[in-house]
Amino acid sequence: MVVSEYFTPLHGTAGGLLIGLSAATLLLFSGDVLGASGLMGSFAVSPKKTLTDPSSIWKLSFLACFYLVVKIYLLIDPEALTDPHLASGAYTPVVSPLGSILGGFLVGFGTRLGNGCTTGHGICGMARLSKRSFVGVCCFMGTGILSASLCSTKSPLYPYMRDSPESVAKYLPTRATVIASAAIASSVAVAALIGLLQKAPSESPQEERAKLRSDKIKVLPSALAATFFAVGLIVSQMTVVSKIYGFLDLRGLADGTWDPTLAFVMAGGLFVSFLSYQWVQGFGVVKNSRALECPLTQREFSVPTNKVIDKNLVVGELLFGFGWGAAGLCPGPAMVLACAGYQNILLRWWPMFYVGVVLAELVKKLQVRTKERRNSEQVADSHEPEKESEIVDRAEPDASDRSSETAGEDTYGACA
């Protein structure tokens, strides 16, 4: 087998190690799981809470620092996001507006329904040996490969999903998109600053004041994690669409253009993330007497404990894979390109991502209401008094109905 001349194992491994270090930093210091789709999706599902609640300060500081790091990196190396295929004249896949719209929607809908993406399920979920995540990764990898093949040059979908390589210039950042990106990042930074300056009322309980201090402490680990994440994504070249298609389009195995860099990125990220979980009590593969019962700066871990492999997981990750293959992007790299002001990403991919997230959340709420109604009908038909456990079940959705990629929904390892 002959691999592509653009195969970069060292860059891929180095970038993957940095991404894994980002996940490890959030986990061990703050107790949170690195999930790009969950983090970004929270702005659509619960915008007020994400922008104003003290528990979300770490998300705001993460994004503000992420933007700053991307801009500094591009000042140092302006060509960091440029596809190397362009310089050599080799074929460069250029995603069309339709490809970006469809891809963004499917990624948003799929990751929200399946509770994870390449970071949440791939880097973090598989590192803690979650069966749900292994199933999720198999699903999105399978449909990602299929989707990339369906969008290749010899496919009837190619004219709709791809644009000519000569058109790449019209998708590059413009002054307007760069300003828009800066305005969004500035708004997030201001919200983070307001949260940091917030003080608990003097008459508030001691526990409430302690919680606010605890939320503010998360800012430093989140900023460090954002730095590792942003640099890792750029160094690994996961922001270059041809790298993604070079891996997903398996027809490259026959003609010598297959690029396995993505596999090295995943391996590097999994390695560091796996090591970090060996220091979390209950997740190590071997007994570790020094494993942490709680994070270094917090009172509990916010690690997903849901083990249910349901249709939402399977369907959601299958759809995510189709979107990933259609546009060549998952949320992490799309964050970098949006910070840089790329038109297709900022004006098409991300808006449709949020449309997908909102619709998926509506589907999940409808599922909860349907389940509640069926439970009520079963109780009424049986003419038996309700048990206390049944009332609790209907009042609060089970773990499979919650988002398991963001912090605070399922926790493990609370400290007294």
Side-chain angles (χ1 to χ4, degrees), residues 154-367:
K154 296 180 180 180
S155 168
L157 295 178
Y158 177 80
Y160 305 100
M161 305 302 291
R162 300 289 177 265
D163 212 333
S164 63
E166 294 76 18
S167 66
V168 67
K170 67 181 183 181
Y171 300 119
L172 296 176
T174 65
R175 181 178 177 82
T177 55
V178 169
I179 292 175
S181 176
I184 294 171
S186 299
S187 300
V188 171
V190 169
L193 183 60
I194 292 174
L196 281 173
L197 296 177
Q198 180 179 348
K199 295 182 179 180
S202 56
E203 66 277 7
S204 61
Q206 178 64 28
E207 183 176 349
E208 183 177 330
R209 292 199 293 267
K211 179 64 169 59
L212 181 59
R213 287 195 299 269
S214 178
D215 290 333
K216 292 181 179 181
I217 291 174
K218 281 188 173 186
V219 168
L220 289 179
S222 71
L224 186 59
T227 301
F228 291 141
F229 192 45
V231 175
L233 288 169
I234 298 174
V235 168
S236 64
Q237 297 184 321
M238 290 298 96
T239 55
V240 177
V241 172
S242 63
K243 279 285 185 184
I244 306 302
Y245 287 128
F247 179 83
L248 293 178
D249 190 354
L250 297 184
R251 293 192 300 180
L253 291 169
D255 56 24
T257 60
W258 187 61
D259 187 347
T261 301
L262 176 60
F264 282 72
V265 178
M266 291 292 290
L270 272 172
F271 175 72
V272 178
S273 186
F274 174 79
L275 290 180
S276 70
Y277 275 101
Q278 305 316 298
W279 293 92
V280 179
Q281 194 172 88
F283 289 95
V285 295
V286 294
K287 188 175 181 180
N288 183 359
S289 60
R290 297 184 179 181
L292 302 173
E293 293 184 3
C294 54
L296 295 174
T297 67
Q298 302 296 313
R299 297 182 59 185
E300 64 180 16
F301 283 102
S302 299
V303 179
T305 56
N306 182 14
K307 298 180 180 180
V308 178
I309 299 174
D310 54 14
K311 65 179 181 181
N312 276 6
L313 171 70
V314 174
V315 173
E317 298 309 320
L318 288 174
L319 291 175
F320 163 46
F322 276 118
W324 187 31
L329 289 173
C330 56
M335 289 167 60
V336 175
L337 296 177
C339 289
Y342 278 77
Q343 298 179 62
N344 243 2
I345 313 306
L346 193 62
L347 303 180
R348 298 183 181 93
W349 196 95
W350 275 112
M352 292 308 297
F353 171 89
Y354 283 116
V355 171
V357 166
V358 171
L359 289 179
E361 190 66 17
L362 290 175
V363 169
K364 293 169 74 172
K365 290 180 179 179
L366 179 61
Q367 290 173 334

Side-chain angles (χ1 to χ4, degrees), residues 69-81:
V69 171
V70 170
K71 300 301 285 187
I72 292 175
Y73 197 110
L74 293 179
L75 283 176
I76 298 172
D77 182 7
E79 302 299 318
L81 303 181

